[in-house]
Amino acid sequence: MTESGAIHARIRRDIEARIMSGEWAPGTRIPYEHQLMATYGCSRMTVNRALRMLMEAGLIESRRRAGTFVSHPRVQRAALEIPDIRDEVAGQGESYRLDLDRREIRAASEEDKRLLQIDGGSVLALECRHHAGGRAYALERRLINLAAVPEAAEVDFAIEPPGSWLLSHVPWTEAEHRITAFNAGGKELVALGISAGAACMALERWTWRGEERITYARQVYPGDRYALVARFRP
Amino acid sequence: MTESGAIHARIRRDIEARIMSGEWAPGTRIPYEHQLMATYGCSRMTVNRALRMLMEAGLIESRRRAGTFVSHPRVQRAALEIPDIRDEVAGQGESYRLDLDRREIRAASEEDKRLLQIDGGSVLALECRHHAGGRAYALERRLINLAAVPEAAEVDFAIEPPGSWLLSHVPWTEAEHRITAFNAGGKELVALGISAGAACMALERWTWRGEERITYARQVYPGDRYALVARFRP
DNA sequence: CTTCCATTAATGTATATACATAATTGAGTC
DNA sequence: GACTCAATTATGTATATACATTAATGGAAG
């Protein structure tokens, strides 16, 4: 088939093509490694490398002694980009502006403790509005666990949006998103300039580093102006 | 550090931990392969395997002759899992029921052509409701490109939900999701049993195989009963 | 000082080999 | 037929070695 590049890449492409075309359906046993060695005239290590990559990609699974099989596709996985709102707005060719409405360092309240899963300590609480081309784009409420990120207390978030700063300064190991739709109430009406009851999208995010929660963010977008888009490959 | 498992896994974990903790900041050159060989008392192939995996994960990059470096974090991407609705309902311990309201094979309309990016041919159009524990859970409208998946014409989608069938029978190479919030109108009121203007979440999905679009789906969830949750690691 | 080029040192790929591990197979036993 | 257990076999990991490829380096020539 293809002739370009390394042998392992070629083996990988060939097998992937056979699976994608449906020629090798889910559950099918693919040839044994020693058969692929013969087919491609290469060593087992090279075959194994190609198969290992396909395994990491989730296309195949193998069982010792039994062989290697085409996976039954399961959950779909989408590459959802963690939106840096400033970049997102700039990418649409609009001018970006940030209004910081509130900045407070306080001892963790009951709600803060629940959202950040901490027993005490102090948190940095922020409320801000993101504007695109002069119009309100999103409303953001954020909590930062100062025990995990003490240096955040010194940052001027009126200049750099908290999401942008955290993304580029704090490494994280795990995160969770929760996306919901709700009818706008008192708070959002003025801040986003929308009418009562208008549908809004809320994007909540919790971010961990190891066992420790770093930050909680809740971003609210007007439903008629915003769509969350994720494009991906399996 | 850790002692369990294969050597390559241990090397990988150690390096990952150093990067995550910030000890090795972006741009830092990590030790040369021959230095890691000495550190771990293993062969270069084993070190190389660990590094290759970290490269695929995007944590490091390497340049011949210069060495291997910690990557500068880029766009943060997350794996958003969007499960099969039937499995999702079952996973919550609720009973699942499917109502197929409409099933039609027709020549592609203008809208069908736009959504599936086809010039003509026939499509299978479906409308159905997913129920969880007797309550409406989601409303689904789906188009299937019969030129790409002719066997779909023979399937009884009153038994198997279209999403489940497609997931397990049709391999795909690319997909796009679009998530929006909107106020419920005429169609949704009765089907979902909600009141006028209630916020709903719409999840639209286009799926490709190579250059060809396979299917388009639009799922509508009542905003007060549904949250899309995605948990992931970088 | 700048340009050119050979040297050199790092990663990239591939091989042949070895032993470990797990699970199927099949023979032997009850 | 049902159970036990050893032989078999495919994958999993690791090694030592070799050569290819790329680009930083440093010295020679202008």
Side-chain angles (χ1 to χ4, degrees):
Chain A
M1 317 238 164
T2 14
E3 282 295 343
S4 78
I7 303 176
H8 66 81
R10 192 183 146 203
I11 300 176
R12 192 197 155 143
R13 273 196 307 272
D14 287 356
I15 295 176
E16 191 171 341
R18 281 201 163 88
I19 294 174
M20 287 305 179
S21 73
E23 184 183 340
W24 288 349
T28 307
R29 208 203 78 235
I30 73 171
Y32 295 126
E33 294 188 353
H34 71 262
Q35 294 175 318
L36 291 168
M37 281 172 67
T39 303
Y40 289 93
C42 67
S43 73
R44 209 189 118 214
M45 280 298 290
T46 305
V47 169
N48 186 263
R49 178 170 170 181
L51 296 185
R52 232 188 303 119
M53 287 192 291
L54 289 167
M55 264 178 258
E56 276 164 30
L59 262 85
I60 60 176
E61 291 165 17
S62 58
R63 297 203 313 277
R64 276 173 160 146
R65 166 78 214 233
T68 304
F69 302 82
V70 178
S71 296
H72 288 273
R74 292 178 187 255
V75 265
Q76 297 201 5
R77 264 200 208 142
L80 171 68
E81 295 187 354
I82 294 190
D84 180 312
I85 294 181
R86 187 175 52 176
D87 292 351
E88 198 171 36
V89 169
Q92 289 163 14
E94 302 261 34
S95 66
Y96 173 81
R97 187 164 57 83
L98 175 70
D99 278 356
L100 182 60
D101 295 322
R102 186 172 167 179
R103 180 188 175 281
E104 184 188 9
I105 292 178
R106 64 181 180 222
S109 70
E110 285 311 308
E111 193 188 11
D112 298 343
K113 289 179 187 171
R114 183 172 54 79
L115 290 169
L116 291 176
Q117 293 281 87
I118 50 178
D119 289 330
S122 57
V123 301
L124 173 60
L126 301 168
E127 279 177 28
C128 58
R129 279 169 295 154
H130 303 269
H131 297 264
R135 269 181 109 184
Y137 184 81
L139 197 59
E140 175 171 342
R141 192 183 116 200
R142 184 176 286 270
L143 295 173
I144 299 175
N145 179 0
L146 288 174
V149 198
E151 61 269 39
E154 314 299 328
V155 180
D156 182 359
F157 290 112
I159 296 174
E160 181 150 33
S164 307
W165 183 84
L166 284 163
L167 262 181
S168 57
H169 287 78
V170 182
W172 51 277
T173 57
E174 200 159 4
E176 182 170 324
H177 280 171
R178 190 162 179 276
I179 303 163
T180 47
F182 70 101
N183 293 97
K187 291 183 218 163
E188 294 88 12
L189 302 186
V190 182
L192 290 176
I194 53 180
S195 49
C200 292
M201 187 193 301
L203 172 62
E204 288 176 285
R205 176 165 54 233
W206 290 263
T207 311
W208 281 258
R209 183 168 62 195
E211 294 301 305
E212 196 172 44
R213 292 206 193 181
I214 301 173
T215 182
Y216 163 78
R218 179 186 160 94
Q219 296 167 347
V220 175
Y221 300 84
D224 58 348
R225 274 181 247 159
Y226 185 78
L228 183 64
V229 175
R231 184 147 188 178
F232 58 93
R233 320 175 125 218
Chain B
M1 320 250 163
T2 15
E3 282 296 344
S4 77
I7 304 176
H8 66 81
R10 191 183 148 201
I11 300 176
R12 192 196 155 143
R13 273 197 305 273
D14 287 357
I15 295 176
E16 192 172 341
R18 281 200 161 88
I19 294 173
M20 287 304 180
S21 73
E23 184 182 343
W24 287 349
T28 308
R29 209 204 76 236
I30 73 171
Y32 295 126
E33 295 189 352
H34 70 262
Q35 295 176 317
L36 291 168
M37 281 172 67
T39 304
Y40 289 94
C42 67
S43 74
R44 210 190 118 213
M45 281 297 290
T46 304
V47 169
N48 186 262
R49 177 169 173 182
L51 296 185
R52 233 187 303 120
M53 288 192 290
L54 289 166
M55 263 177 260
E56 276 162 30
L59 263 85
I60 59 178
E61 290 165 19
S62 59
R63 296 203 315 277
R64 276 172 160 146
R65 167 76 215 232
T68 303
F69 302 82
V70 179
S71 296
H72 288 273
R74 309 200 177 158
V75 214
Q76 301 277 8
R77 261 197 208 147
L80 166 66
E81 293 191 351
I82 299 193
D84 180 283
I85 293 182
R86 187 175 52 178
D87 293 351
E88 193 173 42
V89 169
Q92 289 164 14
E94 303 262 32
S95 66
Y96 173 80
R97 187 164 57 82
L98 175 69
D99 279 355
L100 183 59
D101 295 321
R102 185 170 169 180
R103 179 188 177 281
E104 184 189 10
I105 293 178
R106 65 182 179 221
S109 69
E110 287 310 309
E111 193 187 12
D112 298 342
K113 288 179 187 172
R114 184 172 53 79
L115 290 169
L116 291 176
Q117 293 279 89
I118 49 177
D119 289 331
S122 58
V123 301
L124 173 60
L126 301 167
E127 280 178 27
C128 59
R129 278 168 296 151
H130 303 269
H131 296 264
R135 270 182 109 185
Y137 185 79
L139 197 59
E140 175 170 341
R141 192 183 115 199
R142 183 175 288 268
L143 296 174
I144 298 174
N145 179 0
L146 287 174
V149 198
E151 61 269 38
E154 313 299 328
V155 180
D156 183 359
F157 289 113
I159 296 174
E160 180 150 35
S164 307
W165 184 84
L166 284 163
L167 256 182
S168 57
H169 287 78
V170 182
W172 51 277
T173 57
E174 199 159 3
E176 181 169 324
H177 282 169
R178 189 162 180 276
I179 303 163
T180 47
F182 70 103
N183 293 98
K187 292 184 218 165
E188 294 87 12
L189 302 185
V190 182
L192 290 175
I194 52 180
S195 47
C200 291
M201 187 193 302
L203 172 60
E204 289 176 286
R205 179 183 319 150
W206 290 263
T207 311
W208 282 257
R209 184 169 64 197
E211 293 301 306
E212 195 172 44
R213 291 206 193 180
I214 301 173
T215 182
Y216 163 79
R218 179 187 160 95
Q219 296 168 345
V220 175
Y221 300 84
D224 59 347
R225 273 181 247 159
Y226 185 79
L228 183 64
V229 175
R231 184 146 187 177
F232 55 87
R233 325 178 115 214

